[in-house]
Amino acid sequence: DTGVSQNPRHKITKRGQNVTFRCDPISEHNRLYWYRQTLGQGPEFLTYFQNEAQLEKSRLLSDRFSAERPKGSFSTLEIQRTEQGDSAMYLCASSSQGYYGYTFGSGTRLTVV
Amino acid sequence: GIQVEQSPPDLILQEGANSTLRCNFSDSVNNLQWFHQNPWGQLINLFYIPSGTKQNGRLSATTVATERYSLLYISSSQTTDSGVYFCAVLGSSNTGKLIFGQGTTLQVKP
């Protein structure tokens, strides 16, 4: 297992377009998280899955954002009608039961022009 | 919600120097982690340390949960230690959400 994998690494999109990011967690981790990080800030929580169930969503996750984790494996994060304020690094992390030792992916850097 | 404050915000060291980074949190926590974010953006988990002291090579961390702070020690710093150090806590509500501090940006000069 090579850790948490995120694709793509970079995405440049025009305002108003839809984008989708993928996260493949560590296979034995049943918990998966999405965070967003803007320049000079710490990561901010977006949403959390335990297996295929989405158990918590931040108020940062507006109705333009949707996340899925079908079958409790990989996860996708979709942003519809992107805005310039969506430009950020989107980080995925996974962990096993007990919230011990999160492992983060390398992130997807989104630039909305 | 829980507030996490890190100090100092920025730190410049000469290679070989030692440093201490501090993380204060506003409420009781049952999960505290230190991360290093390298210049390419990768967040690496350094320590899971809800209490007590741990050491890993030149790095060590101490958390005093009753006094709501944690310290990260870097000894004999190297240029590869440069980057941003974050502490993050999980609130007692056990939601799975990590709350990050603003980070300490460390630059180690050769």
Side-chain angles (χ1 to χ4, degrees):
Chain A
D1 197 335
T2 56
V4 178
S5 175
Q6 290 189 247
N7 287 288
R9 288 296 312 277
H10 303 274
K11 178 70 177 179
I12 300 174
T13 190
K14 291 184 178 179
R15 189 173 48 189
Q17 297 295 303
N18 299 343
V19 294
T20 300
F21 311 140
R22 177 178 171 124
C23 172
D24 288 90
I26 292 174
S27 56
E28 58 266 30
H29 285 179
N30 63 341
R31 292 177 168 162
L32 186 146
Y33 314 86
W34 285 97
Y35 288 80
R36 181 172 69 185
Q37 186 178 22
T38 53
L39 198 61
Q41 303 295 315
E44 294 177 293
F45 171 82
L46 292 178
T47 191
Y48 156 57
F49 289 86
Q50 181 165 330
N51 300 311
E52 67 275 11
Q54 188 174 21
L55 296 185
E56 185 173 355
K57 292 168 58 174
S58 164
R59 63 180 184 277
L60 293 175
L61 215 64
S62 76
D63 56 4
R64 296 185 298 106
F65 288 71
S66 62
E68 295 182 343
R69 192 183 182 196
K71 301 179 182 178
S73 56
F74 70 92
S75 176
T76 58
L77 178 67
E78 181 183 16
I79 309 174
Q80 296 182 328
R81 306 181 302 280
T82 52
E83 302 173 356
Q84 285 190 319
D86 297 331
S87 295
M89 174 78 87
Y90 290 84
L91 295 163
C92 176
S94 68
S95 76
S96 55
Q97 194 81 14
Y99 310 113
Y100 174 85
Y102 287 45
T103 301
F104 277 86
S106 299
T108 294
R109 184 170 295 283
L110 172 66
T111 302
V112 182
V113 297
Chain B
I2 291 179
Q3 304 296 315
V4 181
E5 294 182 356
Q6 292 186 243
S7 60
D10 300 283
L11 189 57
I12 300 175
L13 298 176
Q14 208 64 35
E15 198 168 27
N18 302 330
S19 63
T20 301
L21 283 57
R22 186 177 180 102
C23 173
N24 292 333
F25 40 94
S26 61
D27 205 346
S28 60
V29 298
N30 55 13
N31 181 318
L32 186 142
Q33 303 184 40
W34 282 97
F35 295 89
H36 175 224
Q37 189 166 41
N38 65 25
W40 297 272
Q42 177 77 54
L43 272 166
I44 304 297
N45 190 302
L46 298 176
F47 293 103
Y48 164 76
I49 185 163
S51 63
T53 297
K54 290 187 178 180
Q55 181 157 7
N56 185 2
R58 296 180 296 102
L59 272 59
S60 64
T62 296
T63 297
V64 183
T66 54
E67 297 187 21
R68 301 179 184 171
Y69 73 89
S70 183
L71 302 173
L72 178 68
Y73 305 96
I74 304 174
S75 64
S76 304
S77 57
Q78 301 177 357
T79 55
T80 52
D81 295 331
S82 296
V84 186
Y85 289 82
F86 290 102
C87 76
V89 302
L90 188 72
S92 59
S93 60
N94 224 24
T95 62
K97 171 174 65 179
L98 281 180
I99 300 168
F100 283 79
Q102 296 285 74
T104 292
T105 301
L106 173 65
Q107 182 183 359
V108 181
K109 294 186 173 182

